[in-house]
Every structure is written in C-alpha cells, then in structure tokens.
Amino acid sequence: MIARAVIWPLTFVGIIAFLGSMVWPTAAIALRCIAEAGSGGPQVGFEARQAVLLGKTVALVAVSTALATVLGLIAAAAIGSRPSRIATAACLALLFCPPMVYAFGWQRILPADLDGRIGCVLVWTLWCWPIAAIIIADGLKGYPSKRD
C-alpha cells in the first residue's frame, strides 16, 4: 500500500499535468484570439461560433464523465468488495480498444435518427467507465466490507 505521503504529491503532479495539458492551452488560445481580434493583422479567428462549439464540447465531456463515474461506482462496488486481478485486467482490456472502434460499432447498433450528441456521450461513457471503476475500487480496498 502506498503511503499517504506519496499519494498527495502524486495527486498534485496529476492536477498540474491536467492544468498544463488541457486548461492552459485552451485559455491561451482564447486569450490570444480575443487580443488579436481588433489588431487588423493576420489573426487566428475566435468567433462566437467557436466559443459555442467549445462550450458544447465541454458540456458533452462533463455529462459523459459524470455518467462514466456512475457506471464506475457500480462496477467498483463489485470489484472493490472482492478484489481480483482478473477484474482489473478486464477493465484495462476495455481501454485498449480505441474510442473510434466503439463509435463505429455503436453506429451499427443504434438507430440512425439518434441525436449525435447522445451517441457521443454514450461512446465516451462506455469507453471511460473502467477508469473510474479501477480508481474507485482501489480506494475502496482500504475500507472494511460488511463481511468483516
């Protein structure tokens, strides 16, 4: 078991990595586009349409993350109550399949008139739930079960 003295620095590094790889580039592009909007020179366009698209993308990601966490909680309850390397390996095996393969597969199964945003959330959710399940199940290992 990893000591708490190691977990907190790793968590901090993970947060810094997320901010550096996701939040900072998005903010930098948005600020640069806003600053260049009135300069008259060549500019990277950031119009209302792109802002709306960015907002919709963030909303889709938030919904799929929340749903993946709910599915992960259900799976983690099963995995965490009886830890198994096979269950963890099965969850990891699902992540080796690229999301585009899931997307093409779901296109064949789902009705053609289904809204694309629902399909997008569905594919992201069903691809990412093992991540939440593994993290939550690992956290549940430290708590006693009802059988103890």
Side-chain angles (χ1 to χ4, degrees):
M1 190 160 120
I2 300 176
R4 289 183 188 240
V6 175
I7 292 174
W8 286 110
L10 289 177
T11 302
F12 181 73
V13 169
I15 291 170
I16 296 299
F18 171 74
L19 291 174
S21 64
M22 302 300 276
V23 175
W24 172 247
T26 303
I29 290 171
L31 292 173
R32 179 176 175 201
C33 292
I34 291 168
E36 291 180 354
S39 67
Q43 44 184 290
V44 178
F46 190 75
E47 300 168 357
R49 186 175 61 89
Q50 283 98 0
V52 169
L53 182 61
L54 178 62
K56 287 180 180 180
T57 302
V58 169
L60 289 174
V61 169
V63 169
S64 64
T65 301
L67 291 174
T69 302
V70 170
L71 286 176
L73 282 169
I74 295 167
I79 296 170
S81 64
R82 191 174 297 261
S84 166
R85 290 185 180 171
I86 294 172
T88 304
C91 286
L92 285 174
L94 292 172
L95 294 173
F96 289 127
C97 185
M100 287 305 295
V101 173
Y102 282 117
F104 293 135
W106 281 110
Q107 282 178 346
R108 302 282 184 202
I109 295 171
L110 297 174
D113 60 343
L114 182 71
D115 187 6
R117 293 173 290 212
I118 294 172
C120 177
V121 167
L122 183 66
V123 168
W124 281 346
T125 300
L126 294 176
W127 184 69
C128 291
W129 72 266
I131 298 170
I134 291 169
I135 293 170
I136 295 168
D138 189 52
L140 289 176
K141 287 180 187 176
Y143 293 98
S145 66
K146 291 181 181 179
R147 291 177 294 209
D148 293 341

